[in-house]
Amino acid sequence: DPSCDQTAGSKHLMFARFSFKNLQDGTSNFTLPTIGPSRETPHVRSLVASESWTISPRLVNELRGGFARQWRRIEGPFHGPSTIQRLGIQGLHPDLPDRPGFPQVAIAGFTTLSQAAFDNELSASTEFADTMNYMKGAHSMKWGVSVRLLRVTNITNVSGAGMFGNFTFNNSYSGHAYADFLLGLPTTTQRIVARRRAEGFTRNWNFFWQDDW
């Protein structure tokens, strides 16, 4: 994490630090390791900078700013549209998304077959603050303003019980759930047509004044 301290004359002191991390983690999908591991890749970036300006022996201004970003992506080993084509599943949405995914197959008495839900999320925070510090006699006063911008973007699950299908096999036809699966006769099927995307943004302003004595 690189950082820097710098002075400009006798009244200005500046500081900056930048941090970054690229991580990767693989975990097995539920209780079926043969499905293969899912992959989580969080990328983190942050920057903070500040300046302290000594206007007079009694008056000091502090200006701070910075941001933090995190990209977090979770994906399973199977590509959704390719898997659906190889399995020959019909009746799903014709415009399947080009991303990891796998149909969820539940057979009564057996472990559900699926993979980790696809998740792609960006969270970001940006903040600026300006504070004045004034001392006189027994009084130590502070006042200032800060603004914070928050943003979250999330593309949620299109894996499991989603756009690539959810199939449940009970003993509805042959008298045995696994036999129904081999015959391709599910008891229930489900699909999601609409893509699900969530976005949020907010701006917060804060003002303060205090006097300690």
Side-chain angles (χ1 to χ4, degrees), residues 27-194:
T27 58
S28 61
N29 288 274
F30 305 101
T31 57
L32 292 173
T34 53
I35 292 296
S38 62
R39 183 176 59 177
E40 180 175 355
T41 54
H43 294 174
V44 182
R45 305 285 186 271
S46 66
L47 172 67
V48 60
S50 65
E51 181 194 18
S52 178
W53 175 23
T54 304
I55 303 172
S56 71
R58 293 182 176 180
L59 186 62
V60 178
N61 177 255
E62 295 181 41
L63 179 64
R64 296 181 292 108
F67 72 85
R69 304 283 189 276
Q70 176 174 287
W71 294 268
R72 179 175 173 268
R73 182 183 177 96
I74 300 177
E75 56 187 346
F78 289 98
H79 180 252
S82 300
T83 301
I84 294 302
Q85 185 178 11
R86 288 197 302 267
L87 294 175
I89 296 177
Q90 304 292 322
L92 298 178
H93 193 273
D95 185 23
L96 291 175
D98 184 20
R99 61 185 61 159
F102 196 85
Q104 180 170 298
V105 181
I107 306 172
F110 295 86
T111 300
T112 298
L113 181 65
S114 185
Q115 75 174 21
F118 174 79
D119 192 19
N120 189 15
E121 180 180 87
L122 165 65
S123 58
S125 173
T126 304
E127 183 175 7
F128 298 96
D130 192 16
T131 304
M132 296 292 292
N133 299 269
Y134 179 69
M135 298 184 64
K136 184 175 182 180
H139 293 268
S140 176
M141 291 176 281
K142 291 184 179 182
W143 64 91
V145 59
S146 68
V147 57
R148 176 177 294 181
L149 310 175
L150 302 175
R151 175 192 170 195
V152 176
T153 301
N154 182 266
I155 302 173
T156 56
N157 171 28
V158 293
S159 182
M163 197 168 293
F164 298 108
N166 182 354
F167 304 89
T168 302
F169 295 88
N170 296 322
N171 57 349
S172 302
Y173 301 100
S174 65
H176 196 283
Y178 191 71
D180 285 358
F181 168 71
L182 295 177
L183 293 171
L185 299 174
T187 304
T188 62
T189 61
Q190 181 184 27
R191 71 172 189 177
I192 291 178
V193 174

